[in-house]
């Protein structure tokens, strides 16, 4: 069965087209990545799937339920981890999770067991009686997830769940997503961190300006841009370099600065390595390292949209 | 709905700073303003007991209330120490002018009703007159009932009647509101206005934090969501006000009358209005950032002033001002309590409770319409299959 089936989905706000004729098929058991920059339409798409927003046109089916006809049935099969922290900050972790459990009709021993399970799953068992407002950013994110899984949803939608968290909490969250998926939960994972999408998702859709530009597995997406290569040049003083002079070299698609390195994306068809090296050395900057970078989803996104994910 | 009601109450209770402020600040205000204005209220009391007071009356085809008027006149004339002077006026307008300008009292006898026009600044006087008239009216009614069974006994009572009810009603003068007693009602009423911030802020926060989205995702309808919030906020605010009420009664010995139910009853319509408006505004206006500021900085102070929260306002301020001041729930709240406690007059309280019931019905209706509109929007959109 398809977890989510979207046909011709459009969402307009006055003159702004937030979602433009999206078609999507997400199979049950997948971790499906929605990758795109801020404002690309990821959150709007998620709100539409959850029937929290009304589409201008199009159909959405969630686990076989048409949300237009059976919105209630569809909604109760979904767990939502919103982009912002959606908990009562004056409540303890236990009270927050219990609140959502009660909302979904859980009572008595079933409720207690589910709360314990959610706390354990997110690593918050020992902080159960601590108020949410005393939590760190990472712990709040984990509590946000715990509140979404209390009713054992078949579809978990996570909207940028790792924004602003420490690496330890991020790893914990990513591991939790994998574990949930192993238990059979379908996950829609929205992010603008391409490393997360690469690491987690079995299938990825790249969204920009309300359109799905491309959809496929990580390998399929990278194959699409196999005609490009990425050269990383380590420099002593990278800011002395005139980037525009490099962009004018034949075959160069993009030049960017990453810490102490220049990242130059260029066409595989054009052999321009000597020209690039010459241009750099002409500017009296010492090269410290030279490396051909692996093609990433960032390169894919750049190639398809002409801009970076975090622009 | 129950989880939302529980969570709403718990969330408000956990906000300790605001909770303590809402409970104790009125007590502080009563002590502060009550103490400062004690001398003014005492002067009013003294003035009434020592100075001559004119009561104007207009008897208009008053066959049914004629007996009361006659007994009233007899009673005042036979009481040597009375400083009440009764005078007849030619017209209702003339009498009203006396009330507005001279702050006197006007009794208008017409058919089977007696309208008492007085100035709220002269609450003590009007309370006294209310008491007298009520006493006469009640006794006459009792005599009529006795007469049906035992006419001789009724005559005996009538012969004694004019000698004893002034003495009895003097108790009402002693119980006229002191500054503490006045502000013990008015300042709690003032603080009730500020309970509007609870729904205003929390609904806005729930929208911003997507908590509302999560709640809707559980399948709760829009109507049930807002109704649950209303119940939660109402229970919380009512309980808070009751705590203040009990503390004011115990610590400051505020006179809320002998019937402890009257004050809580008068609070109910006020809280229905405050919580209802506090929920409807963010339910209708999605971008209500400025709404809260306007309510707190403009509307609440104006309504508080019009309601007599800062200074006591007159009862009859003239046509337009009467209408304007009646907009303030605080005025209804204050008057319903004072009239009942100091005059035994429950007419304003009854009207105020009726307003509360109408407001509740209107609120439920508006929320129902908002909910239906929101939940039925899907039907408007075309689908592509």
């Amino acid at each position: 069965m398809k977890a989510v089936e979207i046909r011709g989905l459009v969402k307009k706000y006055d003159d702004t087209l937030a979602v433009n004729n999206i078609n999507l098929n997400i199979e049950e058991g997948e971790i499906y990545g929605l990758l795109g920059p801020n404002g690309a339409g990821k959150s709007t798409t998620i709100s539409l799937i959850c029937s929290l927003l009304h589409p201008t046109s199009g159909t959405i089916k969630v686990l076989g339920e048409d949300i237009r006809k059976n919105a209630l049935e569809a909604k109760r099969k979904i767990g939502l981890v919103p982009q912002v922290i959606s908990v009562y900050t004056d409540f303890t972790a236990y009270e927050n999770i219990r609140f959502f459990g009660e909302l979904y009709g859980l009572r008595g021993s079933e409720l207690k067991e589910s709360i314990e399970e959610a706390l354990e799953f997110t690593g918050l068992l020992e902080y159960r009686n601590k108020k949410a407002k005393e939590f760190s950013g990472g712990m709040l994110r984990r509590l946000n997830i715990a509140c979404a899984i209390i009713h054992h949803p078949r579809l978990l939608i996570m909207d940028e769940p790792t924004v602003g968290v420490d690496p330890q909490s991020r790893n914990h969250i990513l591991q939790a997503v994998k574990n949930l998926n192993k238990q059979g939960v379908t996950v829609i994972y929205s992010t603008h961190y391409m490393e997360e999408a690469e690491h987690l998702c079995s299938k990825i859709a790249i969204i920009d300006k309300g359109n799905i530009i491309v959809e496929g597995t990580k390998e399929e997406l990278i194959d699409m841009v196999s005609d490009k290569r990425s050269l990383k040049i380590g420099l002593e003083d990278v800011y002395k370099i005139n980037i525009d002079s490099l962009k004018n070299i034949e075959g160069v698609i993009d030049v960017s600065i990453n810490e102490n390195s220049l990242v130059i994306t260029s066409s595989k068809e054009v052999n321009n390595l000597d020209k690039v090296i010459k241009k750099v050395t002409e500017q009296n900057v010492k090269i410290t390292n030279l490396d051909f970078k692996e093609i990433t989803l960032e390169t894919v996104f750049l190639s398809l949209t002409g801009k970076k994910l975090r622009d | 709905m129950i989880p939302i009601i529980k969570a709403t109450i718990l969330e408000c209770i956990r906000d300790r700073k605001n909770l303590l402020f809402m409970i104790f600040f009125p007590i502080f205000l009563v002590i502060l303003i009550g103490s400062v204005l004690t001398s003014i209220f005492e002067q009013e009391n003294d003035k009434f007991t020592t100075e001559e007071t004119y009561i104007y009356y207009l008897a208009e085809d008053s066959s049914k209330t004629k007996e009361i008027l006659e007994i009233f006149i007899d009673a005042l004339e036979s009481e040597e120490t009375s400083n009440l002077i009764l005078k007849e006026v030619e017209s209702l307008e003339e009498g009203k002018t006396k009330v507005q300008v001279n702050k006197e009292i006007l009794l208008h006898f017409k058919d089977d009703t007696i309208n008492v026009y007085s100035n709220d600044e002269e609450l003590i006087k009007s309370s006294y007159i209310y008491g007298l008239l009520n006493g006469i009216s009640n006794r006459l009614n009792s005599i009529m009932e006795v007469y049906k069974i035992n006419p001789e006994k009724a005559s005996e009572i009538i012969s004694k009647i004019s000698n004893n009810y002034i003495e009895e009603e003097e108790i009402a003068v002693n119980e006229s509101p002191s500054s503490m007693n006045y502000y013990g009602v008015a300042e709690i009423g003032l603080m009730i206005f500020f309970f509007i911030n609870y729904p205003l802020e929390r609904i806005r926060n729930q929208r911003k934090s997507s908590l509302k989205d999560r709640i809707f995702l559980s399948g709760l309808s829009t109507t049930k969501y807002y109704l649950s919030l209303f119940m939660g906020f109402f229970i919380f605010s009512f309980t808070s006000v009751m705590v203040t009420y009990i503390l004011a009664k115990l610590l400051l010995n505020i006179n809320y009358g002998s019937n402890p139910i009257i004050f809580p009853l008068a609070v109910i319509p006020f809280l229905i209005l405050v919580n209802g408006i506090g929920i409807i505004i963010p339910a209708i206006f999605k971008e209500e950032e400025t709404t809260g500021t306007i309510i707190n900085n403009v509307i609440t102070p104006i309504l508080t002033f019009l309601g007599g929260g800062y200074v006591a306002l007159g009862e009859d301020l003239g046509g337009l001002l009467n209408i304007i001041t009646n907009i303030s729930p605080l005025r209804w709240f204050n008057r319903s309590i004072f009239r009942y406690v100091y005059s035994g007059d429950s007419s304003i309280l009854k009207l105020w409770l009726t307003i509360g019931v109408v407001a509740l019905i209107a609120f439920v209706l508006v929320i129902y319409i908002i909910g239906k509109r929101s939940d039925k929007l899907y039907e408007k959109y075309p689908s592509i299959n």
Side-chain angles (χ1 to χ4, degrees):
Chain A
M1 187 197 272
K2 286 186 173 59
V4 178
E5 202 178 341
I6 296 175
R7 294 279 171 273
L9 187 65
V10 174
K11 178 65 186 173
K12 268 185 189 173
Y13 294 105
D14 298 324
D15 293 335
T16 311
L17 200 57
V19 172
N20 183 15
N21 197 27
I22 279 182
N23 294 291
L24 266 185
N25 285 315
I26 301 173
E27 297 294 333
E28 249 196 300
E30 272 186 334
I31 302 181
Y32 193 95
L34 289 177
L35 185 65
N38 292 327
K42 304 189 297 290
S43 295
T44 308
T45 306
I46 286 171
S47 294
L48 289 165
I49 294 171
C50 296
S51 73
L52 297 169
L53 278 178
H54 306 292
T56 307
S57 64
T59 56
I60 303 168
K61 282 185 182 173
V62 174
L63 293 155
E65 305 285 355
D66 186 335
I67 62 162
R68 195 181 296 265
K69 292 169 188 161
N70 294 316
L72 184 64
E73 286 301 311
K75 278 176 177 178
R76 293 182 77 89
K77 292 176 181 173
I78 301 172
L80 174 67
V81 182
Q83 191 171 353
V84 286
I85 305 296
S86 309
V87 297
Y88 288 99
T89 50
D90 275 323
F91 286 17
T92 64
Y94 189 92
E95 286 167 342
N96 266 300
I97 301 168
R98 186 182 62 193
F99 167 73
F100 286 103
E102 285 176 348
L103 264 187
Y104 281 93
L106 302 180
R107 299 283 183 272
S109 57
E110 190 191 3
L111 176 64
K112 277 184 184 168
E113 282 165 22
S114 298
I115 297 170
E116 296 294 326
E117 209 178 294
L119 282 167
E120 195 174 352
F121 192 80
T122 48
L124 294 172
L125 208 50
E126 58 183 305
Y127 307 106
R128 56 191 293 159
N129 293 322
K130 201 173 173 182
K131 282 186 184 170
K133 66 181 176 189
E134 293 160 8
F135 278 13
S136 68
M139 284 163 77
L140 278 172
R141 289 276 166 197
R142 278 144 65 186
L143 178 59
N144 219 17
I145 294 170
C147 293
I149 60 173
I150 178 74
H151 62 294
H152 303 106
R154 284 170 63 190
L155 173 65
L156 181 67
I157 303 179
M158 308 178 89
D159 192 2
E160 308 259 12
T162 58
V163 170
V165 305
D166 56 281
Q168 193 189 346
S169 285
R170 174 175 291 198
N171 290 339
H172 203 292
I173 290 168
L174 298 182
Q175 193 53 49
V177 174
K178 281 182 181 172
N179 291 343
L180 276 169
N181 184 245
K182 275 182 197 162
Q183 291 171 16
V185 178
T186 308
V187 180
I188 299 179
Y189 193 94
S190 154
T191 182
H192 65 269
Y193 297 124
M194 53 111 190
E195 315 86 40
E196 287 181 6
E198 280 183 348
H199 177 68
L200 271 181
C201 303
S202 46
K203 219 169 176 186
I204 296 160
I206 293 181
I207 300 186
D208 189 38
K209 292 178 183 168
N211 292 290
I212 291 191
I213 297 165
V214 71
E215 183 199 15
T217 62
K218 178 190 163 189
E219 291 73 26
E220 284 169 346
L221 297 184
I222 287 173
D223 277 351
M224 288 179 187
V225 290
S226 56
D227 57 335
K228 296 180 183 62
R229 63 181 175 192
S230 196
L231 175 66
K232 190 177 176 185
I233 306 172
L235 297 170
E236 259 192 6
D237 195 352
V238 74
Y239 293 99
K240 276 188 178 173
I241 289 289
N242 178 359
I243 288 177
D244 290 336
S245 66
L246 292 164
K247 281 181 179 170
N248 293 332
I249 297 171
E250 190 192 353
V252 170
I253 297 164
D254 185 64
V255 182
S256 61
I257 294 171
N258 186 358
E259 294 176 355
N260 291 322
S261 302
L262 268 183
V263 180
I264 300 166
T265 307
S266 64
S267 170
K268 263 187 182 173
E269 304 297 317
V270 183
N271 191 354
N272 54 10
L273 183 61
D274 54 338
K275 289 175 188 164
V276 170
I277 302 285
K278 192 179 170 201
K279 204 63 150 179
V280 171
T281 49
E282 272 176 9
Q283 295 182 44
N284 292 324
V285 181
K286 195 176 172 186
I287 296 174
T288 56
N289 191 21
L290 201 62
D291 188 20
F292 279 101
K293 249 181 99 184
E294 195 184 338
I295 294 285
T296 63
L297 288 176
E298 180 80 50
T299 324
V300 175
F301 188 81
L302 179 70
S303 168
L304 295 171
T305 66
K307 60 184 181 187
K308 295 181 191 68
L309 263 171
R310 287 166 213 178
D311 271 354
Chain B
M1 285 174 81
I2 290 170
I4 309 257
I5 297 171
K6 273 165 55 183
T8 305
I9 296 169
L10 187 61
E11 191 191 16
C12 294
I13 292 171
R14 288 279 166 84
D15 184 0
R16 295 265 157 73
K17 215 162 65 179
N18 271 327
L19 176 63
L20 292 174
F21 180 79
M22 296 303 284
I23 289 176
F24 290 106
F25 193 64
I27 305 278
F28 167 75
L29 281 179
V30 174
I31 296 169
L32 184 76
I33 303 176
S35 309
V36 170
L37 300 181
T38 295
S39 57
I40 295 171
F41 274 73
E42 278 174 359
Q43 276 169 22
E44 286 297 312
N45 276 349
D46 293 345
K47 205 165 71 180
F48 178 61
T49 49
T50 55
E51 284 182 2
E52 285 184 340
T53 300
Y54 286 91
I55 300 167
Y56 294 91
Y57 71 93
L58 177 69
E60 235 182 302
D61 189 23
S62 58
S63 57
K64 289 179 186 170
T65 51
K66 199 177 173 185
E67 276 179 290
I68 295 176
L69 175 62
E70 284 170 0
I71 295 171
F72 189 64
I73 294 167
D74 286 349
L76 296 184
E77 283 174 355
S78 64
E79 183 60 51
E80 287 175 10
T81 56
S82 171
N83 52 4
L84 300 176
I85 299 158
L86 208 57
K87 280 194 170 183
E88 193 169 7
V89 286
E90 296 294 319
S91 67
L92 190 60
E93 285 65 37
E94 184 194 345
K96 281 185 176 180
T97 310
K98 302 274 187 196
V99 174
Q100 284 168 24
V101 179
N102 303 337
K103 296 175 184 172
E104 303 293 0
I105 291 165
L106 170 69
L107 305 177
H108 183 205
F109 295 83
K110 190 178 180 186
D111 297 332
D112 57 351
T113 57
I114 307 167
N115 292 319
V116 180
Y117 294 86
S118 66
N119 202 302
D120 256 4
E121 288 176 49
E122 304 298 321
L123 196 61
I124 302 154
K125 287 180 193 173
S126 61
S127 299
Y128 183 78
I129 302 305
Y130 263 117
L132 277 178
L133 290 170
N134 270 337
I136 296 167
S137 174
N138 290 339
R139 275 155 199 254
L140 275 178
N141 287 336
S142 308
I143 290 162
M144 291 305 288
E145 292 304 312
V146 173
Y147 190 79
K148 287 175 192 168
I149 303 160
N150 188 345
E152 283 179 15
K153 184 72 179 168
S155 303
E156 193 184 316
I157 296 169
I158 291 169
S159 67
K160 291 177 181 174
I161 196 164
S162 62
N163 293 326
N164 58 8
Y165 59 118
I166 284 197
E167 186 187 349
E168 185 181 315
E169 296 304 333
E170 275 178 355
I171 295 161
V173 177
N174 294 334
E175 287 187 354
S176 60
S178 66
S179 60
M180 283 289 202
N181 286 336
Y182 178 81
Y183 288 105
V185 173
E187 295 316 299
I188 293 179
L190 183 152
M191 287 310 287
I192 289 176
F193 272 125
F194 292 93
F195 278 103
I196 201 169
N197 290 313
Y198 278 90
L200 273 180
E201 281 176 13
R202 276 158 181 78
I203 292 174
R204 190 167 57 206
N205 288 343
Q206 288 194 1
R207 185 179 293 136
K208 271 185 187 169
S209 70
S210 295
L211 193 57
K212 190 178 140 199
D213 286 349
R214 273 192 152 171
I215 291 168
F216 283 172
L217 197 61
S218 72
L220 194 78
S221 71
T222 311
T223 305
K224 283 184 178 174
Y225 168 71
Y226 286 120
L227 287 179
S228 312
L229 287 177
F230 176 78
M231 285 186 241
F233 287 123
F234 183 86
I235 293 168
F236 164 74
S237 51
F238 184 77
T239 313
S240 301
V241 174
M242 286 307 105
V243 172
T244 311
Y245 160 61
I246 292 165
L247 287 174
K249 197 169 173 58
L250 295 178
L251 299 177
L252 307 177
N253 199 25
I254 304 291
N255 177 21
Y256 293 112
S258 55
N259 189 344
I261 301 299
I262 298 308
F263 187 90
L265 268 180
V267 167
I268 291 170
F270 206 165
L271 287 176
I272 288 173
L273 281 166
V274 164
N275 286 306
I277 293 167
I279 284 170
I280 284 172
I281 288 172
I284 294 176
F285 305 104
K286 306 295 178 195
E287 303 296 330
E288 83 289 3
E289 293 281 350
T290 51
T291 321
T293 316
I294 293 169
I295 286 175
N296 284 320
N297 297 334
V298 181
I299 296 173
T300 301
I302 290 173
L303 290 179
T304 304
F305 175 75
L306 292 175
Y310 302 130
V311 285
L313 292 177
E315 173 84 349
D316 192 346
L317 303 163
L320 185 63
L321 276 173
N322 273 344
I323 295 168
I324 292 172
T325 52
N326 277 339
I327 292 168
S328 174
L330 181 59
R331 185 163 168 83
W332 286 94
F333 172 73
N334 287 344
R335 289 173 72 207
S336 62
I337 293 172
F338 290 136
R339 283 284 186 226
Y340 192 95
V341 172
Y342 296 103
S343 312
D345 173 22
S346 60
S347 60
I348 295 177
L349 178 65
K350 282 175 189 165
L351 198 56
W352 179 224
L353 288 171
T354 310
I355 291 170
V357 172
V358 172
L360 183 64
I361 293 167
F363 166 74
V364 172
L365 202 66
V366 170
I367 288 303
Y368 180 77
I369 293 165
I370 291 171
K372 280 289 161 196
R373 273 199 70 214
S374 168
D375 295 340
K376 279 192 172 177
L377 271 178
Y378 269 106
E379 293 166 12
K380 288 167 63 183
Y381 294 102
S383 74
I384 299 167
N385 287 308

